[in-house]
Amino acid sequence: MRLLRSFPVAAFALVLLAIVSFCAAKNQVGFLLVTGAIAAASWYVAEGPRGLALPRWASNLLIILASIAVVPDIILHPTDAPGVLGRFAVYLCLIKLYERKTCRDYAQLLWLTLVLVVAGALSSRDLLFGVAVFFYTVLGVYVLLLYQIHAAQERAVIARRIESPPGHRLVPSVRPVIGRDVTGQFALTVLGACLLGLAVSTLVFLSVPRGVGAGWLRRILPDPARERGGVLGQVSLTTGSRITESRTPIFRVRVLSPSGEPVEYPGPLYLKANALDLYDSAQFTWLASPQPVAERNEPQTVGPAGFTPVADFSRLGAVPLESCYTLEFESLAPLDFAVLSIVAPIALSTDSDRAFTFNPRTGSIYLQGLTPPRGYRVKADPRPSDAVLRALNGRASVAMRSTLYDDDRVRREAERLIRAAGLPLNAPVSYPERGEHNRRVARAFEEHLQRQFTYTLDLSDVDIEGDPIPSFLLDFRRGHCEYFASALVAMCQTVGVEARIVTGYLGSDYEGNGWYTVRESNAHAWAEVRTGPFAWTAFDPTPPQTLERLLNPPSTMADQVRNVYEFLEVGWLANVVNFDASAQSAVADTMRLDALEAINRFTEQAVEWLRRFVSRFGFAGGLWILAVSAAVFVAGLVAVKLVRRARRLRRTLHLEHLKRSEYRRLLRQLGFYLDMLDVLRRAGLAKPAWQPPLAYADAIQARRPEVADPVRSLTRVFYAARYGGRTLTTDESTLAREALTRLAQRLSVRLP
């Protein structure tokens, strides 16, 4: 039985697909190359002609060693439970592939593939992994149903062997009783199971949105947002080799003007998360200085109903919202607990009720809770007045900290640059004169770094000993944004100018209609310098032309393809991965509409998607959509025509009861006879359903002698293929086509 012979191959393909999916989810290319090669070699070693399988004692020993290897893996990756579980499952799969496999071993392999896919799903949200899971599901259903047939045959073989007489070595083989079209029936069964699974999973997906039970789960699993608070919560200069830029989208943000209209933000969209002013000279890391107890605000409650002010604006009479921009954040990956905003956040609204605290010293907002936010809205004033800044500052002290960065080499370099700019070394004591001095000093440092230093992501050839900041300023003079910001802040602090590093994101990928897509590569660091009692001014010492080139690289054909994929991935993340309770409510509201309104809404959404797509990719995007639509339309027409032709052949030539292989052979070779019948029908010589083909050819001889020869020759070829069991050669097929052409010409009828 051909289906049974395909089971080992299909099971092996399922194991390989599960390993590839897990390694892709964890982004472990090296691990995939090693384990994939070992797994592929198992087919030749264990399933090949020699069949060199591991003895049971050897496989048990390897399983024990794999279990021991889990211990150092847990020590090295204490917060990566899915990764540890998945790697252990890969080891077990490799061992099982080299064993002599019984039904029990195949069942264990199928369970291990499921463990691998689940471990990958806990680690990845990418569109490609979603596609891999889809193919795994379809292939898994096919293999699982095949396994049932395989297991039934194995049980029958064992039962026959048991029932054989003692000492009887030749046991008759088991021949399953099957129908004529078992392959087609099995394919329909697989298709039905897949459609049923799709329907059930869609129902569960719509009924149980993301976030249900997350609070309970976070008590067991580590919170990824807290664990990765890394890139935003601190700046470490000790990892000076190579920064890998990932273009994976992590959130979208929509900018609304003070009047509520979606707009492109006027100027660079700097989204601030944290402000870091304390340098750890032992770890070479910038941190946020501890907030004094007297300056701490009590946690406030915020929710989706309206905006909650982040500070007390009662002295102003009302919350100053008239000049505020609104930033609407939509997560595509776990967000940080530090709320992103521009300049001066005024009010906040979140996707669900939760508490937040506002740090007046840094101007940062921190959400509380067990799960990271899935979305929030911020009202922020890009040009706040002194009264607004004073209200935001609250009880925070304006006194300058005494613990500043201190290095003689950096101080001498800063003083040299100040003198070169014609500025006094000693700053005025009071504002606004002090603020103007700080601004001019920071501008001199910024221009020096932008003009004399080189932006690079690759520092693998730099040997840094000691503090990286003076080495960057005086020695290798190249680095990424964290080095530029650190150098500016360090020089400012050594000469008494209060400054701090700001971490966040720089939005540059504008989609239209106010929306920006922000990626992991958009993580950025810049500086803020105090220019007033409560005012801080942003300075970005990173060379602007280099930063623009990195954020908006030249577009190539590969970039266009990647952009199309990223556009689809953003839709996948926003509409599938992040399907939460609010999205569920929106779907429910849509389903409650009548049919016409639902169709109108769907049409509007489709038009909006196309408009965004075309505005994003321009004329090339429109051509791409047109080409894909035309290709799909043509492919659909061809598929419909082929299906209709196959059904006509089966019905006209009575092929229903043939074996699958014979049926396919005749479908490929007997099309000429169906075309002959169509030509004769168009000429008024239709064949009666009761008349045999040769009798029909004789009748044509009597009615139209001039076309009898091609009809008789075509009928003979038909008999040879249909009833003689012959496979027509290429020459015979060519001669049949030529005879059909002559017949159509003599009857003056167009070929079908």
Side-chain angles (χ1 to χ4, degrees), residues 14-23 25-26 31 82-83 85-91 93-94 109-123 129 133 136:
L14 186 69
V15 174
L16 288 183
L17 180 59
I19 294 176
V20 170
S21 301
F22 169 74
C23 293
K26 300 299 295 183
F31 187 70
L85 177 62
R87 285 185 287 273
F88 180 60
V90 170
Y91 300 149
C93 283
L94 296 180
L109 271 176
L110 296 182
W111 276 110
L112 288 173
T113 61
L114 182 61
V115 171
L116 284 174
V117 173
V118 171
L122 292 174
S123 306
F129 179 75
V133 171
Y136 168 84

Side-chain angles (χ1 to χ4, degrees), residues 276-319:
L276 315 173
D277 57 351
L278 180 62
Y279 188 69
D280 186 345
S281 58
Q283 301 295 327
F284 310 123
T285 301
W286 289 97
L287 304 168
S289 58
Q291 186 181 7
V293 177
E295 298 179 4
R296 296 177 184 174
N297 292 324
E298 292 297 325
Q300 302 182 65
T301 301
V302 64
F307 284 87
T308 301
V310 301
D312 183 8
F313 296 101
S314 58
R315 294 184 179 181
L316 301 180
V319 180

Side-chain angles (χ1 to χ4, degrees), residues 38-57:
I38 296 175
S42 70
W43 183 258
Y44 176 78
V45 175
E47 306 291 340
R50 296 186 179 183
L52 300 177
L54 281 174
R56 186 63 63 178
W57 66 266

